[in-house]
């Protein structure tokens, strides 16, 4: 089976009628004990729930309302590092257009999608792809994806943006612009939560010119043995912030207080993650939470993750002086964003090699 898996899209595998997934997709034994039925998991009411934060008063003229909103945002960023955000200012019809455009791309024939295939070997990471095997363990994730930079406009490579469906470029561009505005507002509130000037975190992650928005549309086909696979393995995001839109099929789980907690599907919300970049700058006061994606037998799940990332080499990421004291020494060494990514990959390879 190995030969047939390499270079195969997960969607092709899923639609081939297989009843058992290839061994490359089966998670190690220690992970399998925690993988349950995602629909059952989502129904659970007992235990901790991912917070929902109403952003309506994020920039309110009313000081009291604004401060209350900021305080709730700060608490969620400190305790969880992830939250559902509602009243975020992004038009619901635009979110629906983005969903329709992304689903429309994946609904095309495989031949059509392959025209946009990326090529990691030559450094072309933008485009249509599937997770490559991690050499240390040879494990694969049950997903295909489409990845590209969506903001700022002058850094986009329009040659790899899908031409079909016809609304893809318009909807995605408009969505990215709205998200960029939301990121500024969130970063301002998080700066104030650390006792910093309003624009400080935005400046520290690259500002208007340098902060990059990278979109990854994750496509998780139905899986014949969902109890053995993961759509995305456990990880923390390297970004400053991540915004996730999805098609209301559950799958996201967060590792909170030693247990996997399933995120509910909250209508008209975005899921927002604090990424490693903000965790480092805040010296661990804001959390970048470990999370993963489950798959299921009945429904295709699609999620649109937009990662707000600092430039790879231009900025040194380290705890800001204001977040450090004798009682709270710096928890992270200075690194560029590129070095941080490399460090995480290297550490993961070491861990896997040790198993």
């Amino acid at each position: 089976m190995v030969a047939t898996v390499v270079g195969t899209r997960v969607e092709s595998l899923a639609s081939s009628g297989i009843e058992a997934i290839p061994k490359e997709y089966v998670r190690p034994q220690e992970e399998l004990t925690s993988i349950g039925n995602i629909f059952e998991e989502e129904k659970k009411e007992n235990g901790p729930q991912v917070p929902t934060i109403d952003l309506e008063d994020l920039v309110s003229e009313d000081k009291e309302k604004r401060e209350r909103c900021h305080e709730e945002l700060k608490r969620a960023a400190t305790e969880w590092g992830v939250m559902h955000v509602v009243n975020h200012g992004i038009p619901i019809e635009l979110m629906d257009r983005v969903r329709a455009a992304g689903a429309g791309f994946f609904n095309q024939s495989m031949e059509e999608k392959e025209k946009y295939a990326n090529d990691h070997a030559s450094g072309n990471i933008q485009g249509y792809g599937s997770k490559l095997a991690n050499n240390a363990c040879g494990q694969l994730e049950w997903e295909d994806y489409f990845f590209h930079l969506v903001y700022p406009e002058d850094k986009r490579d329009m040659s790899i943006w899908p031409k079909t469906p016809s609304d893809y470029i318009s909807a995605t561009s408009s969505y990215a612009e709205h998200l960029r505005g939301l990121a500024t507002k969130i970063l301002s509130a998080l700066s104030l939560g650390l006792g910093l000037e309003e624009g400080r975190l935005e400046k520290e992650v690259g500002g208007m010119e340098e902060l990059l928005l990278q979109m990854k549309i994750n496509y998780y086909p139905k899986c014949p043995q969902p109890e053995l696979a993961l759509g995305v393995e456990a990880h923390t995001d390297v970004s400053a912030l991540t915004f996730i839109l999805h098609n209301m099929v559950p799958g996201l789980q967060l590792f909170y207080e030693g247990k996997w907690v399933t995120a509910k599907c909250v209508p008209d919300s975005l899921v927002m993650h604090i990424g490693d970049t903000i965790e480092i700058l805040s010296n661990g006061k804001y959390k970048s939470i470990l999370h993963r994606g489950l798959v299921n037998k009945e429904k295709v799940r699609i999620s649109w993750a937009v990662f707000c990332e600092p430039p790879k080499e231009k900025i040194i990421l380290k705890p800001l002086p204001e977040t450090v004291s004798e009682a709270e020494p710096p928890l992270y060494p200075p690194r560029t964003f590129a070095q941080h990514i490399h460090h995480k990959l290297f550490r993961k390879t070491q861990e896997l090699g040790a198993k």
Side-chain angles (χ1 to χ4, degrees):
M1 196 71 203
V2 180
T4 58
V5 172
V6 177
T8 299
R9 300 301 180 200
V10 178
E11 185 189 353
S12 299
L13 264 179
S15 57
S16 68
I18 58 168
E19 289 177 12
I21 62 174
K23 66 179 190 307
E24 288 75 19
Y25 293 91
V26 177
R27 304 309 300 178
Q29 193 56 47
E30 64 269 22
E31 278 184 69
L32 294 179
T33 54
S34 69
I35 300 175
N37 179 312
I38 192 65
F39 297 111
E40 296 302 316
E41 297 290 334
E42 200 215 2
K43 285 180 198 150
K44 289 181 180 171
E45 293 297 336
N46 54 342
Q49 304 288 337
V50 176
T52 296
I53 305 299
D54 189 333
L55 298 182
E56 188 169 19
D57 295 325
L58 192 60
V59 290
S60 170
E61 295 291 311
D62 183 323
K63 186 167 180 274
E64 203 174 301
K65 285 182 177 176
R66 190 173 67 244
E67 285 178 354
R68 194 180 307 129
C69 180
H70 287 192
E71 193 51 47
E72 286 174 11
L73 182 63
K74 176 185 173 179
R75 190 181 309 126
T78 305
E79 292 175 12
W80 279 83
V82 66
M83 62 206 81
H84 303 284
V85 294
V86 294
N87 291 321
H88 38 64
I90 297 176
I92 303 307
E93 60 272 22
L94 177 58
M95 289 162 63
D96 288 340
R97 281 173 60 202
V98 170
R99 285 190 186 103
F105 171 78
F106 280 98
N107 285 340
Q108 296 179 104
S109 69
M110 195 56 74
E111 186 184 13
E112 203 52 44
K113 291 191 286 252
E114 289 295 352
K115 291 177 183 172
Y116 295 92
N118 59 15
D119 180 11
H120 278 258
S122 63
N124 296 330
I125 59 169
Q126 297 195 75
Y128 177 56
S130 306
K131 176 76 183 283
L132 298 171
N134 181 320
N135 292 334
C137 67
Q139 279 174 311
L140 297 166
E141 295 163 329
W142 195 261
E143 72 152 345
D144 298 326
Y145 64 81
F146 192 90
F147 178 78
H148 60 132
L149 186 146
V150 292
Y151 199 92
E153 278 185 40
D154 61 348
K155 292 187 170 74
R156 304 186 310 192
D157 176 1
M158 298 311 290
S159 70
I160 59 108
W161 284 51
K163 309 291 181 287
T164 308
S166 57
D167 193 35
Y168 186 96
I169 292 174
S170 169
T172 305
S173 301
S174 181
Y175 181 60
E177 209 168 299
H178 275 83
L179 274 186
R180 186 62 188 84
L182 178 59
T184 292
K185 292 173 191 166
I186 297 283
L187 290 169
S188 295
L190 292 174
S191 293
L192 294 171
L194 293 171
L196 305 169
E197 288 171 24
E198 217 170 334
R200 182 66 179 283
L201 282 178
E202 171 135 357
K203 177 174 162 279
E204 296 289 347
V205 296
M208 230 34 209
E209 293 73 35
E210 299 285 352
L211 185 70
L212 305 176
L213 268 58
Q214 314 260 18
M215 178 186 270
K216 184 171 175 244
I217 309 176
N218 301 298
Y219 184 88
Y220 307 105
K222 296 175 194 176
C223 180
Q225 294 178 297
E227 69 285 356
L228 298 181
L230 285 176
V232 174
E233 63 189 14
H235 67 286
T236 61
D237 288 353
V238 293
S239 60
L241 299 171
T242 305
F243 294 99
I244 300 172
L245 176 68
H246 56 77
N247 66 340
M248 294 298 285
V249 174
L252 175 64
Q253 289 192 322
L254 302 308
F255 197 66
Y256 181 74
E257 295 185 341
K259 287 194 177 72
W260 286 106
V261 174
T262 300
K264 304 275 186 204
C265 290
V266 177
D268 303 335
S269 71
L270 295 169
V271 175
M272 188 184 85
H273 285 270
I274 303 293
D276 296 353
T277 297
I278 294 293
E279 179 174 285
I280 292 167
L281 293 171
S282 72
N283 200 30
K285 290 174 175 62
Y286 295 142
K287 305 285 186 289
S288 178
I289 195 169
L290 193 68
H291 56 284
R292 68 183 186 182
L294 267 59
V295 290
N296 72 82
K297 261 184 189 177
E298 293 118 71
K299 294 180 179 178
V300 169
R301 179 168 184 260
I302 311 178
S303 68
W304 289 254
V306 175
F307 305 100
C308 305
E309 299 183 347
K312 280 198 157 58
E313 306 288 354
K314 286 189 181 177
I315 291 169
I316 301 294
L317 296 176
K318 60 181 181 182
L320 298 175
E322 296 89 337
T323 66
V324 174
S325 64
E326 239 177 90
E328 295 175 302
L331 299 173
Y332 312 89
R335 289 192 181 106
T336 63
F337 187 61
Q339 286 169 335
H340 174 66
I341 293 170
H342 180 76
H343 163 75
K344 282 188 82 164
L345 290 173
F346 178 73
R347 193 174 63 193
K348 185 174 163 189
T349 308
Q350 295 289 92
E351 286 167 3
L352 290 164
K355 278 185 181 172

